[in-house]
Amino acid sequence: MSTTNIGPKGPAGQVGEAVVDYVEDRTGAKTGLTWFLKRNIPAETSWFQTLGFAAMAVFGLQAVTGIFLAMYYKPDPSRAYQSIEHITNDVTWGWLVRGMHKWGASAMIVLVFLHMARVFIFGSYKYPRELTWVTGAMLLIMTMFMGLTGYLLVWDEKAYWATVVAMNITASAPILGPYVADILRAGSEFNGDTLSRFYSIHMLAIPGGIATFIGLHLFLVAKLGISEPPHSHRLARVRREEEAARRAAARDRQPHGRRQVTPETSPQTISAEGGS
Amino acid sequence: MNKAQQEAYLREYSQAKKEGKSFFPYAIYKDHIVAILAFGWIIGMAIWHKVEIGKPVYAATTDFVPRPEWYFFFLFELLKIFKGQNALMPVIMATFIVPNVLMVLLLLTPFIDRGPERRISRRPIALATAVVVFASLAWLTHKGATSEAPTGEGPAIQNLTPEAEAGYVLFQDNACLSCHKLGGSGGVLGPDLSNEGSKAHGVQWHIDHLKNPQAVSPGSAMPAYAGFTDEEYQNLGTFLDGLGTKWKAG
Ligand code: HEM
């Protein structure tokens, strides 16, 4: 593909190529990746259009730090608090991993909100990207639920009472509220099963949902193409040209003799003078 | 956007792409720079602001505010605004109506605003909406972040009968103060109880409310206290029912 690609390949290169061809033949992975990476996007995409990617990267970081936390955490009311203490005080780098997971959660919320704000300001949710917005809104809601379910896991008094209140609020909602609350609490009371239920929702159910929706979201972004900033120089130029063309057309539609002409200098006079 | 506008947009966009650049590497390098900055911030915060751990549940302390992660502060603050004290401010506004309306509006944004204009300077309604929503969220979050933890034991109360005295001890030992104010000190998630007696609910009402707040006071966010003995319920109920009438927080 490039001009430096000359001469016969060494054995490693040949094997590599063969592997790529083998996989490509059976999956189309190379075509897919090329489609994804080598697609053209508008030239003037702005720095604000990096926030979605940053949110996604932080989600990845949360997954990794979360895996390490799960190696030590015990989702049991009598041991949860101690296991968090153990991670924070004894486990090598435990304080750092826990700190990264905690700050990462806040960072992800902030990034998702900023990303949404940029999509809103750019009007990027308009045709044809309406459904990209809807999948994004689902991601926002799920991200908030990650915060709610993760907070309880520390099982300290602040988190405990706050979550009790949040569950009571859920239960107070009309019609479905009581059922949703019972499902979340694993019964009508806040108890030990509530903790393991929150744990499983926090580390299995919602992350699965988020991963799925990031996939959909990204597919739509790649398929539809990222929007052009509405204030780009290119669009400004297009608008200027359109405006000029519109004016010219309007001018042409007017009867010839009525072009911004004052009575003293009629076209005849000009041509007469010009001819002299 | 009508059909013609949609087609015009697609035509314009494919022109932009034709004049554009490849996603790899021209956009993806910017993406990575910002992501690395975000990682750096996270690691930096984890190092400089070490995470803490609060006291265990049931430590019977009152000097904490039961509050969620900061990004839910706005909901808890709404709960303080709509306390259900009168019919115009029903609790359900804060617990159900406002959050769900926000959520539905969020999901439906692209179907509500379908005009072709994308420049924010020419979308005054969208701009105003964004500013109002952002400002209210920021204000409520700020209020939630600065609400103070109640301190210490709760005020001295005069003229308590022995029964009510025992009730007051239970009150102090069960984190009631973290949500309720009494004579000026205490949390703000629940109503101020300094004059609770003047509502003349009766002792039995209070016992029922403690056992199952939602049954007596629909939509209540107060946790149930189901583990007391009959005598303890009686004491606590008596204490609450006389607050501000038979005995006053000083
Ligand atoms: C976990 C949360 C999210 C992740 C990981 C994510 C990821 C991304 C990525 C990587 C892009 C590509 C362009 C960019 O970075 O700006 C994007 C675009 C987009 N996102 Fe998100 N997003 C999330 C949440 C949201 C939310 C909450 C909304 C709105 C409710 C949203 C709506 C959109 C739309 C409409 C686009 C297309 C923008 C365009 O073409 O200019 N996303 N998202």
Side-chain angles (χ1 to χ4, degrees):
Chain A
M1 72 186 192
S2 62
T3 46
T4 52
N5 202 357
I6 44 170
K9 286 220 153 66
Q14 282 172 5
V15 170
E17 215 162 59
V19 169
V20 169
D21 283 349
Y22 179 93
V23 175
E24 166 67 9
D25 239 14
R26 286 157 183 78
T27 62
K30 194 174 153 196
T31 315
L33 262 181
T34 313
W35 169 78
F36 182 72
L37 291 174
K38 286 289 181 173
R39 71 203 145 90
N40 254 22
I41 57 167
E44 294 175 63
T45 51
S46 90
W47 283 93
F48 293 110
Q49 285 167 292
T50 61
L51 292 164
F53 182 90
M56 188 171 68
V58 172
F59 175 70
L61 186 68
Q62 291 299 91
V64 173
T65 49
I67 287 171
F68 282 105
L69 290 176
M71 292 173 182
Y72 296 93
Y73 179 74
K74 315 268 189 314
D76 167 352
S78 58
R79 294 191 299 164
Y81 183 83
Q82 281 82 352
S83 70
I84 296 275
E85 267 186 331
H86 179 60
I87 292 172
T88 315
N89 300 331
D90 312 331
V91 175
T92 316
W93 300 113
W95 59 272
L96 181 64
V97 172
R98 182 170 166 235
M100 282 169 67
H101 199 72
K102 178 117 185 144
W103 286 108
S106 289
M108 186 165 164
I109 293 275
V110 171
L111 287 167
V112 170
F113 265 95
L114 290 178
H115 168 58
M116 184 175 76
R118 115 55 199 146
V119 169
F120 188 86
I121 300 287
F122 279 26
S124 303
Y125 53 85
K126 300 191 173 200
Y127 177 84
R129 301 188 180 80
E130 294 95 330
L131 297 182
T132 317
W133 172 279
V134 173
T135 54
M138 299 298 292
L139 282 168
L140 174 71
I141 294 166
M142 284 191 278
T143 309
M144 299 281 282
F145 267 99
M146 282 304 265
L148 178 81
T149 49
Y151 193 50
L152 178 70
L153 301 183
V154 179
W155 208 248
D156 62 359
E157 56 185 1
K158 226 159 82 176
Y160 179 83
W161 288 112
T163 313
V164 170
V165 171
M167 285 303 100
N168 288 343
I169 290 176
T170 311
S172 76
I175 310 170
L176 285 180
Y179 299 102
V180 175
D182 284 359
I183 291 170
L184 286 172
R185 276 187 304 227
S188 59
E189 294 290 326
F190 212 86
N191 56 36
D193 284 343
T194 315
L195 179 59
S196 47
R197 184 156 300 197
F198 269 52
Y199 180 59
S200 126
I201 293 175
H202 181 78
M203 63 169 271
L204 294 169
I206 308 181
I210 293 187
T212 310
F213 271 81
I214 288 184
L216 282 172
H217 197 67
L218 270 193
F219 172 72
L220 288 175
V221 172
K223 180 174 155 52
L224 300 170
I226 188 146
S227 62
E228 181 175 26
H231 46 70
S232 73
H233 297 301
R234 197 195 72 84
L235 276 175
R237 197 192 68 223
V238 169
R239 283 190 207 105
R240 253 195 328 270
E241 283 167 7
E242 271 172 6
E243 182 61 16
R246 196 188 59 75
R247 284 214 187 123
R251 230 181 292 124
D252 284 350
R253 269 200 304 278
Q254 295 195 339
H256 193 63
R258 296 237 304 271
R259 273 196 210 167
Q260 304 169 338
V261 196
T262 49
E264 289 85 357
T265 50
S266 65
Q268 287 89 337
T269 339
I270 292 174
S271 60
E273 282 175 0
S276 61
Chain B
M1 284 172 102
N2 57 35
K3 198 93 204 138
Q5 286 166 329
Q6 294 183 346
E7 277 162 11
Y9 177 80
L10 292 184
R11 233 178 296 122
E12 195 52 59
Y13 183 72
S14 73
Q15 186 58 33
K17 268 179 115 163
K18 218 174 282 157
E19 295 175 27
K21 296 191 278 197
S22 169
F23 171 66
F24 177 89
Y26 295 107
I28 212 167
Y29 96 87
K30 284 185 178 175
D31 283 345
H32 280 83
I33 290 177
V34 174
I36 287 167
L37 286 178
F39 280 21
W41 182 85
I42 291 168
I43 295 172
M45 291 306 271
I47 292 173
W48 305 124
H49 293 265
K50 295 232 169 86
V51 261
E52 285 163 10
I53 179 166
K55 301 201 182 76
V57 184
Y58 306 124
T61 50
T62 53
D63 56 341
F64 68 97
V65 196
R67 60 179 176 197
E69 289 278 54
W70 62 267
Y71 37 87
F72 290 109
F73 282 175
F74 73 100
L75 282 179
F76 269 46
E77 287 302 310
L78 274 182
L79 199 60
K80 292 183 201 165
I81 295 174
F82 298 100
K83 269 194 196 135
Q85 309 291 54
N86 63 57
L88 284 176
M89 299 256 211
V91 184
I92 194 167
M93 274 297 284
T95 57
F96 185 72
I97 297 177
V98 173
N100 282 292
V101 165
L102 282 178
M103 211 149 82
V104 169
L105 283 181
L106 171 73
L107 282 166
L108 294 186
T109 301
F111 311 103
I112 298 169
D113 175 16
R114 288 175 305 183
E117 182 58 62
R118 287 167 203 245
R119 283 166 291 179
I120 193 69
S121 51
R122 309 219 170 180
R123 291 155 58 213
I125 299 175
L127 181 60
T129 314
V131 169
V132 167
V133 168
F134 183 79
S136 343
L137 286 182
W139 179 66
L140 288 173
T141 304
H142 174 77
K143 270 189 71 176
T146 47
S147 67
E148 279 167 23
T151 47
E153 295 286 280
I157 299 186
Q158 286 103 44
N159 308 331
L160 285 172
T161 61
E163 212 184 12
E165 179 83 56
Y168 189 33
V169 172
L170 284 171
F171 188 88
Q172 288 169 315
D173 286 351
N174 283 280
C176 310
L177 274 169
S178 62
C179 290
H180 293 288
K181 265 196 166 54
L182 205 55
S185 70
V188 285
L189 200 57
D192 189 332
L193 294 181
S194 308
N195 285 307
E196 184 61 20
S198 63
K199 293 187 187 164
H201 281 311
V203 176
Q204 192 55 44
W205 186 93
H206 281 293
I207 295 176
D208 293 342
H209 179 260
L210 286 167
K211 285 182 178 162
N212 189 350
Q214 289 73 32
V216 186
S217 170
S220 171
M222 177 164 143
Y225 286 83
F228 295 143
T229 64
D230 284 348
E231 193 194 345
E232 285 173 330
Y233 279 122
Q234 191 65 35
N235 292 342
L236 192 49
T238 310
F239 166 73
L240 292 168
D241 199 43
L243 266 173
T245 49
K246 295 184 199 129
W247 35 80
K248 279 194 163 52

